[in-house]
Amino acid sequence: MPMRLYNSLTKKVEDFTPQNPNEVLMYQCGPTVYDYITIGNFRTFALGDFLYRALVQNGYKVKYIMNLTDVGHLVSDNDEGADKLEAAAERDGTSAREVADFYIKDFYSGYDKLKLTRPNKFTRATEYIQEQIDLVETLERKGYTYLTTDGVYFDTSKYKNYGLLSGYTLENIKEGARVEVNPEKKNPTDFALWKFSTPGVNRWQEWNSPWGRGFPGWHAECSAMAMKELGATLDIHLGGEDLKMVHHQNELAQSECATGSEYVKYWVHGSFLLIDDGRMGKSLGNAYTVKDIEDKGFDPLSLRYLYMTAHYRSKLNFTWESLQSAQNALKKLYDIVSSYQESPEAHVNQEYYARFRDALNDDLNMPKAVSQVWELVKNNTISESVKIATLLRFDEVLGFNLENHVGYEVPDEIKHLAKMRSEYRKSGIFDKADQLRRQIEKSGYIMEDIKEGGYKIKRK
Ligand code: AMP
Ligand code: ZN
């Protein structure tokens, strides 16, 4: 079964066909690095990892870019308020650059602990200022922009498909009679491409531009970086569902107007992680981080397991109990795997592998993929070594580090006997060595000699 994915633009599950049959160009909106990255954010980044690994199972090479938003994301998504990095620098009594560096480091740490595949590049918005200015200049030259007292704006009425992604059109906005905060905007959906600095507010984040000193609008960065790194048309664009309405709709509009080409073939949006069935928030004290998980004695991979228990388009509820259940399941799997005997001749069971891959290809149905693990271990007609080989293949996607658990907990006494036997052999005292080998075997273990005098202890 070829891969099928739900496309938020067409609102249908579609067959996935990249532009180049061998390579997939994938972009994900990364974190705004002004605070600790939460386990909610990580649910969305884990979606990127699952999709990446599923594509690799389908034989694709994936070129994956993720940005780090260190400028332009304002306190309100409606182009108002201070830049989040400026506000954080104020809060922490430091510079915007230091704020970003600190939280990027924290982000990488959680990212790696969850075994998320690193993209080919993490692109940092402040390192692509010129590309963002170039984008705004192109849009200006093509007549899509206008100037106000606080910046350069994109005129959404000039892009005929505005609202197709967000469902948020000029017409239904007018019906909703939203109160407009910026009277200079021609249409309520118009958005800033470049904002002028406010003296006293912009202390760190401002650059020169043809329109005056300022900083890029939030959406400009993703278009500029994605197109610089991947070209005018991306195969997949990922992000959390909250980004669809404003950020992605605006990114789409400005990119297509700048290039005249289709911007994204498949828009993929992940549903939110809830905490105790509600919103997660700093003010609610439940914006947990990977470190919080570890501090409570949990393995971060248990969180990875938990993410797989819901389809990415369904809400997932986090409770400490649900994390405990995920951890129990994972530990049970480790126990099972460590009781299996590995054999180099064993092959992957193709029937189970096909079912596993079909689940991935069915709009990335991770719960169904994980259920193949449990069905496989329950199956009495398949040998343990084949189960191991198959599970290790599954683990290329699951990322549970199963290979570290294959094998046995060898008792210290046996390890000691094995060491002595090895010493006797090296000294040419073979009768003693043989005696110890028999003793080890009697206890249920075998010593396998490997090259250069080394050995492996296995259960008999
Ligand atoms: P931000 O740091 O706010 O730019 O968000 C980074 C990513 O995390 C975006 O793709 C958001 O949509 C996503 N995100 C934020 N909160 C949650 C949540 N509770 N569950 C899942 N994804 C989230
Ligand atoms: Zn973005």
Side-chain angles (χ1 to χ4, degrees):
M1 179 166 99
M3 176 163 254
R4 290 171 62 76
L5 276 178
Y6 180 83
N7 187 346
S8 321
L9 186 64
T10 59
K11 293 159 187 63
K12 281 201 285 274
V13 177
E14 297 175 357
D15 281 348
F16 175 71
T17 354
Q19 304 161 83
N20 172 337
N22 305 313
E23 190 181 46
V24 177
L25 306 176
M26 184 160 108
Y27 182 87
Q28 153 124 261
C29 290
T32 308
V33 286
Y34 69 110
D35 213 328
Y36 292 108
I37 310 307
T38 68
I39 59 171
N41 300 134
F42 274 121
R43 181 184 184 200
T44 300
F45 304 135
L47 164 62
D49 173 67
F50 302 159
L51 185 52
Y52 182 101
R53 291 172 185 248
L55 290 165
V56 169
Q57 291 299 310
N58 279 277
Y60 294 116
K61 194 167 163 283
V62 185
K63 194 161 178 207
Y64 184 23
I65 300 293
M66 190 187 295
N67 73 307
L68 302 166
T69 300
D70 59 354
V71 66
H73 195 171
L74 303 189
V75 169
S76 138
D77 278 359
N78 197 28
D79 296 327
E80 299 296 327
D83 177 313
K84 288 189 178 187
L85 270 290
E86 290 273 6
E90 195 73 39
R91 175 196 68 199
D92 298 352
T94 176
S95 68
R97 179 82 196 181
E98 275 169 314
V99 167
D101 285 348
F102 179 84
Y103 293 107
I104 286 173
K105 218 168 130 211
D106 171 71
F107 169 61
Y108 287 163
S109 152
Y111 199 92
D112 293 342
K113 282 179 184 161
L114 290 168
K115 282 204 76 180
L116 306 184
T117 311
R118 284 208 180 204
N120 297 64
K121 225 186 214 181
F122 282 112
T123 56
R124 211 166 150 154
T126 49
E127 289 168 5
Y128 291 75
I129 298 294
Q130 190 54 50
E131 285 79 1
Q132 297 178 71
I133 292 174
D134 293 347
L135 174 78
V136 183
E137 279 194 301
T138 304
L139 290 167
E140 183 176 51
R141 200 173 56 246
K142 293 190 171 184
Y144 290 106
T145 69
Y146 61 93
L147 212 59
T148 71
T149 46
D150 78 338
V152 182
Y153 279 75
F154 182 92
D155 185 344
T156 51
S157 68
K158 295 196 169 159
Y159 173 62
K160 66 176 189 326
N161 291 334
Y162 198 89
L164 273 192
L165 180 65
S166 61
Y168 189 44
T169 60
L170 280 175
E171 285 68 36
N172 62 31
I173 277 190
K174 277 178 193 144
E175 282 163 24
R178 217 171 62 133
V179 182
E180 190 45 67
V181 279
N182 181 348
E184 286 184 82
K185 278 185 7 182
K186 291 187 183 170
N187 308 289
T189 46
D190 292 355
F191 57 91
L193 292 164
W194 186 264
K195 288 269 286 186
F196 300 135
S197 305
T198 314
V201 173
N202 289 87
R203 296 193 305 137
W204 312 100
Q205 311 263 70
E206 48 173 359
W207 293 265
N208 289 328
S209 82
W211 313 279
R213 209 156 162 74
F215 56 95
W218 174 30
H219 325 297
E221 64 171 83
C222 286
S223 296
M225 293 188 283
M227 294 198 288
K228 167 89 189 281
E229 299 296 336
L230 299 169
T233 306
L234 323 177
D235 292 308
I236 299 175
H237 194 311
L238 290 154
E241 61 185 356
D242 60 321
L243 298 184
K244 190 165 68 176
M245 193 148 132
V246 178
H247 181 54
H248 287 166
Q249 180 61 76
N250 293 348
E251 203 187 312
L252 170 60
Q254 70 196 5
S255 301
E256 296 203 340
C257 291
T259 66
S261 307
E262 182 187 18
Y263 179 47
V264 169
K265 289 179 72 78
Y266 303 87
W267 285 94
V268 176
H269 289 102
S271 196
F272 262 33
L273 181 78
L274 304 179
I275 308 273
D276 296 329
D277 280 315
R279 208 174 60 80
M280 164 171 16
K282 295 256 149 36
S283 54
L284 302 170
N286 63 7
Y288 303 128
T289 64
V290 174
K291 188 170 175 296
D292 293 334
I293 300 284
E294 285 185 300
D295 287 349
K296 288 226 181 195
F298 287 97
D299 179 344
L301 293 185
S302 306
L303 179 61
R304 187 177 165 92
Y305 190 105
L306 181 65
Y307 288 148
M308 293 182 194
T309 61
H311 187 263
Y312 77 90
R313 286 194 285 121
S314 305
K315 299 255 185 287
L316 170 61
N317 189 31
F318 174 93
T319 59
W320 291 105
E321 291 72 35
S322 67
L323 184 62
Q324 185 63 56
S325 307
Q327 175 136 311
N328 295 347
L330 189 60
K331 296 297 174 217
K332 185 171 161 201
L333 183 60
Y334 288 159
D335 282 348
I336 292 171
V337 166
S338 66
S339 73
Y340 285 168
Q341 190 138 11
E342 207 182 1
S343 153
E345 292 91 51
H347 295 294
V348 170
N349 179 295
Q350 288 306 328
E351 191 193 324
Y352 272 92
Y353 178 66
R355 283 198 223 162
F356 180 80
R357 208 170 82 175
D358 282 353
L360 300 178
N361 288 356
D362 178 11
D363 192 23
L364 206 64
N365 191 334
M366 296 307 291
K368 203 155 119 197
V370 171
S371 74
Q372 297 314 307
V373 169
W374 298 107
E375 288 190 20
L376 174 67
V377 299
K378 270 196 307 212
N379 188 312
N380 293 327
T381 62
I382 296 174
S383 74
E384 290 184 354
S385 55
V386 169
K387 285 182 181 176
I388 288 274
T390 312
L391 287 170
L392 289 177
R393 187 71 199 273
F394 289 180
D395 206 40
E396 290 173 13
V397 177
L398 302 175
F400 294 151
N401 279 342
L402 290 185
E403 70 279 5
N404 294 351
H405 297 269
V406 177
Y408 305 99
E409 284 302 321
V410 179
D412 286 344
E413 183 205 345
I414 303 293
K415 284 188 194 154
H416 178 69
L417 292 176
K419 197 163 164 237
M420 272 171 42
R421 173 180 174 258
S422 171
E423 297 298 326
Y424 280 131
R425 270 170 65 91
K426 272 190 224 153
S427 319
I429 310 172
F430 294 110
D431 55 344
K432 286 270 189 201
D434 277 350
Q435 201 186 327
L436 285 177
R437 180 177 52 80
R438 281 195 297 274
Q439 200 180 332
I440 291 166
E441 283 187 6
K442 249 201 246 153
S443 313
Y445 293 86
I446 42 169
M447 266 183 90
E448 236 180 43
D449 295 307
I450 50 177
K451 59 178 185 295
E452 276 147 26
Y455 58 85
K456 243 171 128 174
I457 311 169
K458 290 194 153 188
R459 206 180 281 172
K460 236 166 88 178

